[in-house]
Amino acid sequence: GRERSTEYRKQAPNPARVPAPQAVDPAALAQAAHWLLRAERPLILVAYAGRNPVAVPALVRLAETLGAPVVESRHRVNFPASHPLHLGYCAFPYAQQADCILILDHDVPWVPAQGQPAPGCRIIQVDMDPLKRDMPLWEFPADLAIQADSALAMAALAGEIGRQLSPADRLRIEARRSAVAAVPLAFASILLWHDRPAWVARRRVVRAMAAVEADLGRIDVLVNCAGVAGGGPVHLIDPLEWDRVVDIN
């Protein structure tokens, strides 16, 4: 009989199968801009928007337009760590203080065991799949869920916020920018949970040490003796707890 050819032929991808970026609903965009502008303590939580390099400058523009601090997941570069509006890699305590939170491409925006956003805090979620259909136990509330490509949504949202800005809003936002940039980072938070040591920007370390010296005077010897331990079998340890133990130790 005839021999069947086993040669593998690589096929070019079918362009029709590549989904186009999801556009942003104008009504939802206007609502999100309005809530963020009216907020006194807006906060942006982002995890993997930075997988698209275009999203990084888009997020910088959005945060600066709004004067909103950014907390990101440490697994991707979403926002420059040296930026004055960067508040580290853990949502708390900031999420408890916010009155409007914008969640961008995030599967776990906060750890419920650490706390929850304050009652009355408005939550806006932007994601290609805001329902998280592949995560059946995903239960993070959102007052406004926007299905869209985050890079497009951030650019459009910054533009809409700029369009809605009043002179009074500009003054509030400038004051908020300055306040966030001047927030002292407690020395303990560097060593413990709120900012993981391996990812703390140099400017924050310098600021923290200056605060310690101002309070205690000159430091001749500094001993780093931070250490924690997790319990239980390795295969049962929560990944977030594993990361915390490794980062601190």
Side-chain angles (χ1 to χ4, degrees):
R2 228 164 70 184
E3 232 180 83
R4 178 179 289 181
S5 172
T6 58
E7 181 184 356
Y8 172 74
R9 296 181 182 178
K10 185 176 180 181
Q11 294 183 345
N14 182 353
R17 294 183 181 178
V18 180
Q22 185 78 31
V24 189
D25 175 57
L29 190 75
Q31 181 67 78
H34 177 73
W35 284 355
L36 288 165
L37 266 178
R38 298 283 71 78
E40 292 296 328
R41 297 175 303 281
L43 175 67
I44 299 173
L45 303 179
V46 58
Y48 47 85
R51 61 187 174 182
N52 179 358
V54 176
V56 177
L59 180 52
V60 170
R61 181 188 169 209
L62 174 60
E64 290 179 347
T65 301
L66 191 58
V70 176
V71 175
E72 64 171 337
S73 162
R74 66 194 189 90
H75 299 295
R76 286 187 184 273
V77 175
N78 301 282
F79 193 77
S82 58
H83 196 286
L85 291 173
H86 191 283
L87 280 187
Y89 303 89
C90 185
F92 287 93
Y94 313 115
Q96 288 175 315
Q97 301 162 357
D99 56 357
C100 188
I101 297 176
L102 174 62
I103 302 172
L104 299 167
D105 291 338
H106 218 315
D107 291 338
V108 186
W110 57 82
V111 178
Q114 293 179 8
Q116 298 283 351
C121 175
R122 284 173 165 159
I123 297 174
I124 304 163
Q125 180 195 11
V126 176
D127 200 295
M128 286 295 289
D129 179 19
L131 298 180
K132 303 293 182 183
R133 294 175 178 85
D134 59 343
M135 301 176 67
L137 298 180
W138 197 87
E139 292 185 1
F140 288 89
D143 298 291
L144 178 62
I146 301 175
Q147 184 173 11
D149 176 272
S150 62
L152 293 179
M154 285 187 282
L157 189 53
E160 178 63 21
I161 289 171
R163 190 187 68 79
Q164 294 186 20
L165 273 176
S166 69
D169 290 330
R170 294 181 190 278
L171 290 175
R172 285 193 307 110
I173 287 170
E174 186 54 42
R176 183 162 59 228
R177 276 198 214 104
S178 300
V180 172
V183 168
L185 186 64
F187 187 67
S189 71
I190 292 179
L191 295 179
L192 300 176
W193 177 257
H194 299 308
D195 280 287
R196 299 170 190 267
W199 296 83
V200 175
R202 177 178 172 76
R203 67 183 180 85
R204 297 187 171 194
V205 176
V206 172
R207 186 189 304 165
M209 291 306 302
V212 171
E213 287 186 344
D215 185 39
L216 302 177
R218 172 179 158 179
I219 297 176
D220 296 307
V221 178
L222 177 65
V223 179
N224 181 3
C225 59
V228 296
V234 172
H235 68 287
L236 295 180
I237 295 177
D238 183 276
L240 288 173
E241 176 64 13
W242 176 272
D243 287 346
R244 185 177 77 94
V245 170
V246 171
D247 286 346
I248 291 176
N249 295 339

